[in-house]
Amino acid sequence: MRHIISVLLENESGALARLVGLFAQRGYNIDSLTVAATEDATLSRLTLVTHGNDQVIEQITKQLHKLIEVVKLTDLNDSPHLERELMLIKVKASGAQRDEVKRCADIFRGQIIDVTASTYTVQLVGTSDKLDAFIQALAGTPILEVVRSGVSGIARGEKTLAL
Amino acid sequence: MTSQTKQTEMLSGAAMVIRALADEGVEYLYGYPGGAVLHIYDALFQQTKVKHVLVRHEQAATHMADAYARATGKAGAVLVTSGPGATNAVTGIATAYMDSIPMVVLTGQVMSHLIGDDAFQETDMLGISRPICKHNMSVRRPEDIPAIIKKAFYIAQSGRPGPVVIDIPKDMTIPSQTFPYLYPSEVKLRSYQPKLKGHSGQIKKAITALLAAKKPILYAGGGVIMGGASAELTELAQLLNLPVTNTLMGLGCYPASDKQFIGMLGMHGSYEANQTMHHADLILAVGARFDDRVTNNTKKFCPDATIIHIDIDPASISKTINAHIPIVGLVQPVLSEMLELLQQKKKKPDSAALKKWWQQIDEWRAVHGGRYDNAAPQLKPQYVIEQVSKITKGNAFVCSDVGQHQMFAAQYYGFNKPNRWINSGGLGTMGFGLPAAMGVKLNFPDADVVCVTGEGSIQMNIQELSTCKQYGLAVKIINLNNGYLGMVKQWQDMNYESRYASSYMDSLPDFVKLAEAYGHVGIRVTEPEQLIPALERAFALKDQLVFLDIHIDPKEHVYPMQIPGGAMNEMFLSKTERT
């Protein structure tokens, strides 16, 4: 099953390498990973998407906890949460396709952020499923390039992952 | 001098490294000098508190520090240079990591501005050591050195112990640049707060389960030894009349001579220990991790058992075998709390059920009982170990290499005290035995320290005979020489129709002459009747390293041996018998 794990990590050199190394070393999957400093410059916030059965996910969270630089973590699947991913997608847009892509982007509440005579670059934010659906909806339109940020997640309501 | 300057002494980074080690109580620093650590060596030379031990290969330095930790519970310290010095230490770091042994390894590094340039003797030691140490750090500012060293010892020795690596670029130790030195008295880390006490509710549950059990067993591992909980464990076992089995790492945490001890469990465990485990209705696992050399096939593991698992590392719980009553905490306080609770409750275990259980266990004991055929004309390794145990009254520190001899030592020495059996259990590092024995002997000069090894393992760090000469380390080397890599040969006998692919060590040296060349005493034993006089002579030579080259029966196999893919209690009992 797919899980989204949020981690607060000491913002120190080597910390991220240690975390990523753990996944390689123990054979866990990383489907996506986003990381950046938080409002507190000493902390990084990481959102990691992985999959595995309950036993594997339990080991992943326990092994992550053991890393000295991991301050806190939570499995977002344990409670209601929000997830968002950003996609930049460059498509061939000429002739009739130009309107078609524009319409499709509007339906998905995407924005066209770069335009040339023959291409559009669309920016789209949403769950990973929504981004997948957009790509499918473009069927027939040649896709030139796709850049996805990976998932960022946060718990709903008053629950927080903070110091 | 003002009072201000008196309070904060000004030291160079190099001097701070050594002073911090001294303030941490480090007596011996095991290492090997080189370009990147020359400033530190110069600081070491100018003081007397921290004594340096010069090995002949960096791997030996790590094993010496590791064995010191295994014998005392305190972290050993190592200093090596950058590049090859650091990479040579890798095997020793991994060895300590796999067995959760506290150790602090200082590795030199090229100057900060050269890092990443492929400079002479540069290697990314932080990258290399990351998966094989508990933590690693690099020094970015010389003034951070005291805090970093304090943090390293704290992390190495707390929680589930392990090795910590500190990478020190050469420009952090320049003698002319000084900084205020203050060694912190404590460390607090927001991201690392190991749990100490166990959950009281869980402990109560465990006691209820233990009192209700009809076929219980206590399965204790290395965590009991590193956690200093042998006394509590022994008391608990005796209070509840539990049969006790030990892992390879746990030997000595319960006295082997006691009637409740049923031997080691697992791949080469005793018949009775593996049977008792398999048929148990309750397993109390303490400081052990259900590793693959214990469980055999996890799908067939102990089908009827409720499992109580006490461990400091939550990740060890339910990793391979699901625990019904997990207790995370240091084993010593958890066991103490269990004892207190039992005394308050004044409830006794089910003595009728236990009587029946013990009758069954005694029947299992009679089946194999560690028997071996001692009739052959050649010396049997089991017999040699029994005689070594006899002459040292079971009190020696036994430092083992890896292979058949290691299993024979584990099965036949009979450890009655913790911290006396020193071996590479997790990584299985050949070459560990001699440096380990050296590390113990240096710190316990009056104790009998034995290195049980084979002609394969001993040659992996034989150069350390020179270090032994330099520091007068009078260890006794029991070289069980069968002319083969015995454990490899055993597997080839059992699984490859005796095709001995590279397991025959042709052109072995004359070990007696070799020992003599290094300035030690060498004794060759080829006939059974020579053994006891040779051992007596060797152990009487208190101040000499004695290399006993003992020629043993090359056909001997280690039994019992679990049948691969089977349950715990499926074993070969000899070359011709199986369960």
Side-chain angles (χ1 to χ4, degrees), chain B residues 293-556:
Chain B
R293 292 286 145 129
V294 160
T295 59
N296 211 5
N297 187 344
T298 51
K299 290 192 181 75
K300 298 179 184 170
F301 181 76
C302 303
D304 306 323
T306 298
I307 292 169
I308 305 171
H309 192 177
I310 306 173
D311 205 288
I312 184 63
D313 180 6
S316 278
I317 290 175
S318 300
K319 184 170 77 178
T320 56
I321 299 290
N322 189 45
H324 304 93
I325 309 178
I327 303 174
V328 178
L330 288 173
V331 290
Q332 198 270 339
V334 171
L335 291 175
S336 293
E337 201 174 325
M338 289 175 82
L339 283 168
E340 264 173 51
L341 222 77
L342 274 171
Q343 273 141 11
Q344 282 169 18
K345 271 199 162 181
K346 294 200 176 88
K347 268 184 81 180
K348 292 267 182 289
D350 184 342
S351 62
L354 281 172
K355 198 177 164 199
K356 242 177 102 184
W357 184 224
W358 273 110
Q359 274 168 2
Q360 171 66 72
I361 293 168
D362 286 337
E363 278 170 34
W364 286 325
R365 267 180 170 153
V367 174
H368 187 263
R371 68 183 140 86
Y372 61 92
D373 175 17
N374 203 18
Q378 280 173 297
L379 267 167
K380 293 288 179 172
Q382 300 94 326
Y383 175 74
V384 177
I385 299 294
E386 283 175 344
Q387 294 311 311
V388 171
S389 177
K390 211 166 160 191
I391 199 162
T392 56
K393 299 182 178 68
N395 274 328
F397 287 95
V398 178
C399 305
S400 175
D401 261 306
V402 169
Q404 282 185 318
H405 62 268
Q406 177 188 24
M407 292 301 118
F408 290 132
Q411 291 174 330
Y412 291 93
Y413 187 82
F415 295 92
N416 287 320
K417 291 179 188 161
N419 307 95
R420 296 291 167 108
W421 165 240
I422 300 200
N423 85 128
S424 167
L427 196 67
T429 307
M430 289 172 70
F432 176 80
L434 177 58
M438 292 157 57
V440 175
K441 187 67 182 170
L442 184 70
N443 288 281
F444 297 87
D446 299 327
D448 281 328
V449 180
V450 178
C451 165
V452 175
T453 184
E455 80 291 338
S457 283
I458 191 68
Q459 290 190 86
M460 285 214 180
N461 268 320
I462 195 132
Q463 76 287 346
E464 297 307 319
L465 287 173
S466 170
T467 311
C468 291
K469 185 66 187 168
Q470 184 173 351
Y471 297 95
L473 303 174
V475 304
K476 310 301 175 203
I477 298 171
I478 307 292
N479 187 40
L480 295 177
N481 187 345
N482 60 2
Y484 283 95
L485 301 176
M487 193 58 94
V488 172
K489 175 179 174 290
Q490 175 167 344
W491 282 64
Q492 289 169 337
D493 280 332
M494 297 172 83
N495 302 313
Y496 301 91
E497 296 167 325
S498 299
R499 289 187 298 277
Y500 299 139
S502 299
S503 56
Y504 176 62
M505 296 281 275
D506 210 352
S507 61
L508 287 170
D510 179 331
F511 286 110
V512 170
K513 277 191 187 154
L514 187 69
E516 287 168 0
Y518 277 107
H520 305 301
V521 178
I523 304 175
R524 183 174 294 109
V525 175
T526 53
E527 306 304 323
E529 63 273 15
Q530 295 171 335
L531 179 68
I532 292 170
L535 287 173
E536 283 169 352
R537 195 181 142 214
F539 284 92
L541 289 168
K542 288 280 171 214
D543 301 327
Q544 296 262 31
L545 182 150
V546 182
F547 192 118
L548 285 142
D549 183 32
I550 303 172
H551 292 213
I552 55 159
D553 185 352
K555 294 185 293 297
E556 199 59 29

Side-chain angles (χ1 to χ4, degrees), chain A residues 10-14 17-19 21 25-26 40 42-43 55 58-59 62-63 65-71 163, chain B residues 97 126 130-137 140 151 155 160 189-192 313-321:
Chain A
E10 294 287 0
N11 190 4
E12 287 171 3
S13 75
R18 205 184 310 281
L19 187 142
Q25 188 189 331
R26 295 194 180 264
D40 174 350
T42 66
L43 285 174
Q55 200 207 352
E58 184 182 327
Q59 268 298 309
K62 282 173 165 179
Q63 294 291 351
H65 253 304
K66 272 174 75 172
L67 299 179
I68 306 293
E69 289 116 334
V70 168
V71 183
L163 282 186
Chain B
Y97 182 62
L126 290 172
R130 202 171 281 131
I132 53 161
C133 66
K134 185 171 175 186
H135 194 55
N136 63 19
M137 294 173 275
R140 299 293 175 92
K151 188 172 156 185
I155 290 172
R160 179 176 179 174
L189 296 172
R190 64 178 173 184
S191 59
Y192 174 72
D313 180 6
S316 278
I317 290 175
S318 300
K319 184 170 77 178
T320 56
I321 299 290

Side-chain angles (χ1 to χ4, degrees), chain B residues 22-57:
Chain B
D23 285 346
E24 194 55 48
V26 171
E27 186 182 1
Y28 293 109
L29 178 61
Y30 312 92
Y32 204 103
V37 288
L38 280 176
H39 296 327
I40 303 176
Y41 269 85
D42 194 50
L44 191 56
F45 189 81
Q46 296 180 49
Q47 55 84 60
T48 54
K49 267 192 174 164
V50 178
K51 289 171 267 206
H52 183 258
V53 178
L54 176 69
V55 291
R56 300 299 178 263
H57 184 287

Side-chain angles (χ1 to χ4, degrees), chain B residues 271 275 367 563 569-573 577-579:
Chain B
Y271 178 80
Q275 287 287 8
V367 174
I563 297 167
N569 65 338
E570 294 178 65
M571 290 165 268
F572 297 109
L573 300 179
E577 303 158 280
R578 53 169 290 170
T579 52

